[in-house]
Amino acid sequence: MSAFVGKYADELIKNAKYIATPGKGILAADESTGTIGKRLSSINVENMESNRQVLRELLFTSPNALSHLSGVILFEETLYQKTSDGKPFVEVLQENSVLPGIKVDKGTVDIAGTNGETTTQGFDSLGTRCQQYYKAGARFAKWRAVLKIGPNEPSELSIQQNAQGLARYAIICQESGLVPIVEPEVLTDGNHDIGKCAAVTETLLAAVYKALNDHHVLLEGTLLKPNMVAPGSDSPKVAPEVIAELTVRALRRTVPAAVPGIVFLSGGQSEEEATLNLNAMNKLEVLKPWTLSFSFGRALQQSTLKTWAGKKENVAAAQSAFLARCKANSDATLGKYAGGSADGLASESLYVKGYKY
Amino acid sequence: MSAFCGKYQDELIANAAYIGTPGKGILAADESTGTIGKRLASINVENVESNRQALRELLFCTPGALECLSGVILFEETLYQKTASGKPFVDVLKEGGVLPGIKVDKGTVELAGTNGETTTQGLDGLAQRCQQYYSAGARFAKWRAVLKIGPNEPSQLAINENANGLARYAIICQENGLVPIVEPEILVDGSHDIDRCADVTERVLAACYKALNDHHVLLEGTLLKPNMVTPGSDAKKVTPEVIAKYTVRALQRTTPAAVPAIVFLSGGQSEEEATLNLNAMNKLKGKKPWSLSFSFGRALQQSTLKTWAGKEENVKKAQSAFLSRCKANSEATLGTYKGDAAKGEGVSESLHVKDYKY
């Protein structure tokens, strides 16, 4: 057969389509314990479960913020956490029509014989884990594959390994009722120009969709989370319109129309950059058979984090900052963002060389 | 680089987009000498050059027909032929707003160790031949890859070989200014159901687009000529709406939006069946980022041929039949065909020939 149609097929299609609702997007709040530790230490907050719970409660209970979101990706710990008055986070999300998602990969490992290229692990008992997450209320999953641009990178081996890994993860998710977000991230690190990024992105996405087809993945029940096509971090910047044109061209050349939505990662972009680029894509007058939205982590939370600074008295202001970014990105999915929610914090680059999370 | 951008890039993109103009499609008149011989024999006409010329002149000079067409695929001999009054066919087409195309493959050969599966030859000297054809006025090309459905077919070998062949042909065409029509035909022969055809079509198309990407083909300067997704010739028929749904879904799952147009082959379908199926696809609601049109051979010419029967006194009537099919298919590309062309002689006659070789 071509596409596997199991007992969850209709639900997968419905949920994928819902996540791709114009005007909505995803908050990526799935930072692992180690990674969230870095965020908390940047605002001098101790990395304890209670602080991690407080931060996520701040985000999920921001008045009106959830109306701009169709999904939130969670780390496993957070899937089972509650608000301070005892309400499971999953219920907070569900009551506000936000689908809970779950990060299921177990990080990257180096591929021997390459120049620091990686593959992603997490297959062991993945089916069983997905079933447990489904029971706990998760309805979509995320798995991050990472590739880099260099003189000899990405290598054919790295492309094949990561594409195959994404496809195996995707079919296992679909067997267990979770919509797989397929995330093949090409890092921005480097001094390459935007043309190189475009070529690599197209080659990678072509390999990914061939692998998904080989593994019988039902495309209508998936989402794509790619990098935007942009110059390397050490290269001169270009206008959002250029990023939009090359990104959409790359997607038109590789992503089948059966995929309902594309939810971009923000990489090292500042909050404002990410929003302006997404907005430019949605204003572009060219045929786009999938919705273009966001799945932002840092680019939704950065100024919120700084405003909070771990202090209870800052919570309302921090929630205000969070709502502003949610609304800005919601507008960007409709091509209606007019700029201006960018105070100093929102324009801060979030680029970290060799980013591991 | 991902896509090769040579000196013909803009022209390829413009020509591919033009061929996909809504309301227009392609006449596949590229029957090789052997194949056209079979057609002529079926109406008791001798297979000599003058008769081959007379038939093509009948078609290309049908008043009003060229308006329904954006391209005509020619066999090499025809590319250099003229009308009876000495005007090159290529000029007739160009003046009628129709791009001349050229069949460049050299037929199929069997793959050893398979159960009668084939690959297509024609890569030797292809670049030089494309340059010559471009000089002669051709602006697009066609190469037919053939796969079949069976208990163990299509094999991975057949899929890989044919996909790779199509990709090599495509990039060579683009280097030389010809828009490549990519044709991975899955034969209708067999007793399989429509689901099986859908699965195979999706697998084959996924392999084709991976190969095209590997070979740096500029998708915006190509066209796809696939089979429609249907039950096998020995299986129960289904309605045009079902064929439309399965076909469009298969394309949504595999064919990138960068491809401007999809021009279906008619396989063994009758003239009327092919038109009704195309019409149903264009009426279907759903995401179709490419235009859906026709590249029909038999399904445009069958009743015309029968009406002509090789006789000069039948030419006008034959041209009338041809115009009628052209208009019907033009409407079908817009989803507005009402079925009123179904009265021609032979329009509902199946054109299926088992294990068709041409």
Side-chain angles (χ1 to χ4, degrees), chain B residues 76-227:
Chain B
E76 191 183 81
E77 176 188 78
T78 323
L79 185 65
Y80 298 102
Q81 281 182 332
K82 305 175 162 78
T83 64
S85 45
K87 181 174 217 164
F89 281 155
V90 162
D91 291 349
V92 173
L93 295 179
K94 283 190 191 166
E95 283 167 23
V98 177
L99 291 177
I102 177 74
K103 186 229 302 284
V104 301
D105 73 74
K106 296 187 173 193
T108 59
V109 291
E110 291 204 348
L111 288 167
T114 68
N115 179 22
E117 292 182 291
T118 65
T119 187
T120 299
Q121 51 182 17
L123 291 176
D124 299 346
L126 180 58
Q128 285 72 37
R129 292 169 54 224
C130 285
Q131 284 158 32
Q132 284 160 11
Y133 295 144
Y134 184 94
S135 299
R139 289 297 177 271
F140 71 96
K142 164 271 187 84
W143 169 290
R144 180 174 175 255
V146 186
L147 298 108
K148 67 175 186 177
I149 296 178
N152 303 303
E153 291 83 17
S155 64
Q156 197 59 48
L157 173 64
I159 293 175
N160 293 347
E161 269 305 292
N162 282 287
N164 193 62
L166 280 166
R168 274 298 292 146
Y169 138 81
I171 193 67
I172 291 171
C173 282
Q174 291 194 330
E175 288 179 283
N176 296 291
L178 301 181
V179 170
I181 294 186
V182 173
E183 180 177 356
E185 173 170 7
I186 297 158
L187 296 174
V188 76
D189 300 49
S191 55
H192 52 273
D193 62 17
I194 193 171
D195 281 286
R196 181 85 202 280
C197 178
D199 292 341
V200 170
T201 302
E202 288 171 27
R203 262 202 304 141
V204 168
L205 289 178
C208 286
Y209 282 100
K210 179 59 165 67
L212 290 171
N213 182 279
D214 288 342
H215 288 256
H216 311 299
V217 176
L218 177 71
L219 293 188
E220 293 87 340
T222 66
L223 298 159
L224 179 69
K225 178 166 171 169
N227 51 283

Side-chain angles (χ1 to χ4, degrees), chain A residues 107-232:
Chain A
T108 58
V109 291
D110 277 8
I111 302 175
T114 68
N115 180 22
E117 293 182 290
T118 65
T119 186
T120 301
Q121 51 182 17
F123 290 112
D124 301 348
S125 301
L126 179 58
T128 309
R129 291 169 55 222
C130 285
Q131 285 160 33
Q132 286 161 3
Y133 296 143
Y134 184 94
K135 280 209 187 77
R139 287 298 177 268
F140 71 96
K142 165 271 187 87
W143 172 288
R144 180 174 176 255
V146 186
L147 294 100
K148 67 175 188 179
I149 294 178
N152 304 304
E153 291 82 20
S155 64
E156 181 63 19
L157 174 61
S158 162
I159 292 173
Q160 282 310 314
Q161 282 300 298
N162 283 288
Q164 289 295 317
L166 282 165
R168 268 303 285 150
Y169 139 80
I171 192 69
I172 291 171
C173 282
Q174 291 194 329
E175 287 179 285
S176 301
L178 302 182
V179 170
I181 295 186
V182 173
E183 180 178 357
E185 173 169 8
V186 178
L187 294 175
T188 40
D189 300 50
N191 60 3
H192 52 273
D193 63 19
I194 194 172
K196 177 83 205 228
C197 179
V200 169
T201 301
E202 288 171 29
T203 301
L204 174 60
L205 288 178
V208 168
Y209 281 97
K210 178 60 164 67
L212 291 173
N213 182 280
D214 288 342
H215 288 256
H216 311 299
V217 177
L218 178 70
L219 293 187
E220 294 87 340
T222 66
L223 296 159
L224 179 69
K225 179 167 171 170
N227 50 283
M228 298 185 193
V229 173

Side-chain angles (χ1 to χ4, degrees), chain B residues 18-27 62-72 96-98 278 293-295 300 322-334:
Chain B
Y18 175 71
I19 291 175
T21 302
K24 295 184 188 283
I26 295 175
L27 163 65
T62 295
L66 293 189
E67 277 153 45
C68 303
L69 304 177
S70 47
V72 174
V98 177
L278 180 62
S293 183
F294 57 93
S295 174
L300 266 172
F322 183 59
L323 177 63
S324 170
R325 281 337 297 173
C326 286
K327 278 200 170 147
N329 285 301
S330 164
E331 284 166 19
T333 71
L334 303 169

Side-chain angles (χ1 to χ4, degrees), chain A residues 2 202 220 252-253 257 289, chain B residues 2 202 220 252-253 258 287:
Chain A
S2 183
E202 288 171 29
E220 294 87 340
R252 275 171 53 85
R253 288 176 171 178
Chain B
S2 183
E202 288 171 27
E220 293 87 340
Q252 285 171 338
R253 288 174 172 180
K287 289 189 287 188

Side-chain angles (χ1 to χ4, degrees), chain A residues 218-265:
Chain A
L218 178 70
L219 293 187
E220 294 87 340
T222 66
L223 296 159
L224 179 69
K225 179 167 171 170
N227 50 283
M228 298 185 193
V229 173
S233 49
D234 296 332
S235 291
K237 287 197 181 293
V238 301
E241 289 67 33
V242 176
I243 287 175
E245 193 195 314
L246 291 189
T247 303
V248 172
R249 188 179 74 175
L251 299 167
R252 275 171 53 85
R253 288 176 171 178
T254 55
V255 184
V259 176
I262 297 176
V263 290
F264 292 95
L265 60 92

